[in-house]
Amino acid sequence: MKTKHNLLIALMSFSAHSVIAGEADAVINPDDLQDVTKINPQAALFVTSDSHIRASGIFSGQWSETAAFSGYAEGVFGNKQGENKFDTDYLGGRAQYFQAHQLDNSLFPRLGFSFDLVHQKTQGLPDTTLFSVGAVAAINKDYTPGFQLFPNVAFTTGEVFGESADGYLANLFLTAPIGDNGSFLLAWPEYFDVSGDTVELESKSLNVVFQSPAKSNFGQWFVTKLAYNETDLTLPSGLQIDGDGELAIEFGMKWYF
């Protein structure tokens, strides 16, 4: 059961960088955003303490002077039997899209919408696929000196282990520059709560990412991520699994093009 349990705990452990990618670009290189039609693509590769490989891509930019967007997609690869060794089996993925528009509002100067798709394969059970649609906002920097906050709340629907389920997703993204070399911190708690007639999933996680430039032109970055996750499940068979908290560490590189 422990092998299956480890796979289930990993269900909601994917990262969610894209909501603040536009802000990160501004911290990294403001000149990149002078052309409002320019798209800023990124790619990253990570090795995790669970012997997984995570590959991701990000694109961000502006549709106009008042509308910014960012998209994110990733895939996780490892051993489908749950063994702690590197392998090339596809385990799951996540794709996100955020779009924000400038407002004349003292508390929320930007407000927009989000799409979020999670797919996870679990040994011995049908796949889990969840789609979320929600709202995202930027809180005025005057109220958060030294960092920025981006709340995100979404309605979630889909299938958990092949059974219909719905619920909600909530995030609170934080980004803050560190030092004078362009390094910055990303952090976000994430909460999923979805249920159906025979299944239930409740996931609580905290993610902290530190990024530091590897080159003076900011084209390549060192990335370290800490991810803590607890996931409680009710399987279609009625079996309830209370997840123990697990901490994962990732090391990787990110490239801007």
Side-chain angles (χ1 to χ4, degrees):
M1 176 63 68
K2 183 170 176 57
T3 297
K4 182 182 289 187
H5 188 201
N6 288 340
L7 286 173
L8 297 175
I9 289 297
L11 181 63
M12 307 312 301
S13 65
F14 300 109
S15 65
H17 296 187
S18 58
V19 68
I20 40 70
E23 291 300 320
D25 287 335
V27 172
I28 295 165
N29 190 353
D31 291 338
D32 285 345
L33 299 182
Q34 287 183 354
D35 181 356
V36 298
T37 63
K38 181 177 180 179
I39 296 177
N40 300 277
Q42 309 162 42
L45 190 65
F46 301 87
V47 176
T48 80
S49 57
D50 298 326
S51 298
H52 293 164
I53 300 293
R54 184 164 64 86
S56 65
I58 301 175
F59 62 92
S60 59
Q62 294 182 244
W63 294 120
S64 68
E65 293 183 355
T66 60
F69 67 90
S70 186
Y72 176 85
E74 72 174 11
V76 177
F77 304 87
N79 184 273
K80 65 182 178 182
Q81 303 301 323
E83 300 176 10
N84 190 25
K85 64 179 183 180
F86 291 104
D87 212 329
T88 58
D89 299 323
Y90 168 73
L91 302 180
R94 188 168 189 170
Q96 298 172 303
Y97 178 82
F98 294 85
Q99 184 167 315
H101 299 260
Q102 290 185 2
L103 300 176
D104 185 16
N105 185 285
S106 60
L107 180 59
F108 299 114
R110 279 173 294 164
L111 185 66
F113 58 87
S114 63
F115 299 125
D116 193 327
L117 177 66
V118 173
H119 176 244
Q120 178 66 32
K121 301 180 73 68
T122 305
Q123 181 187 1
L125 291 168
D127 292 0
T128 291
T129 303
L130 296 172
F131 178 66
S132 303
V133 180
V136 63
I139 296 178
N140 193 322
K141 293 180 181 180
D142 293 339
Y143 300 107
T144 59
F147 61 94
Q148 278 209 269
L149 287 178
F150 303 83
N152 174 222
V153 179
F155 169 75
T156 300
T157 187
E159 292 188 346
V160 175
F161 309 128
E163 301 290 334
S164 296
D166 55 51
Y168 67 96
L169 158 69
N171 290 294
L172 181 61
F173 299 96
L174 177 150
T175 176
I178 299 176
D180 299 326
N181 69 340
S183 299
F184 61 96
L185 180 75
L186 314 176
W188 66 98
E190 179 171 82
Y191 182 74
F192 262 100
D193 188 6
V194 293
S195 60
D197 292 337
T198 60
V199 294
E200 186 173 0
L201 182 152
E202 183 183 28
S203 172
K204 293 167 283 187
S205 63
L206 175 63
N207 305 273
V208 179
V209 177
F210 176 76
Q211 301 192 36
S212 181
K215 292 185 176 182
S216 58
N217 66 355
F218 303 107
Q220 187 172 333
W221 291 69
F222 296 113
V223 184
T224 302
K225 177 186 175 186
L226 298 177
Y228 178 82
N229 178 261
E230 295 181 15
T231 303
D232 298 330
L233 300 164
T234 300
L235 305 185
S237 63
L239 176 65
Q240 294 184 343
I241 300 177
D242 295 327
D244 297 326
E246 292 196 358
L247 180 66
I249 303 174
E250 298 184 12
F251 300 98
M253 296 292 297
K254 178 183 286 188
W255 295 266
Y256 282 74
F257 303 102

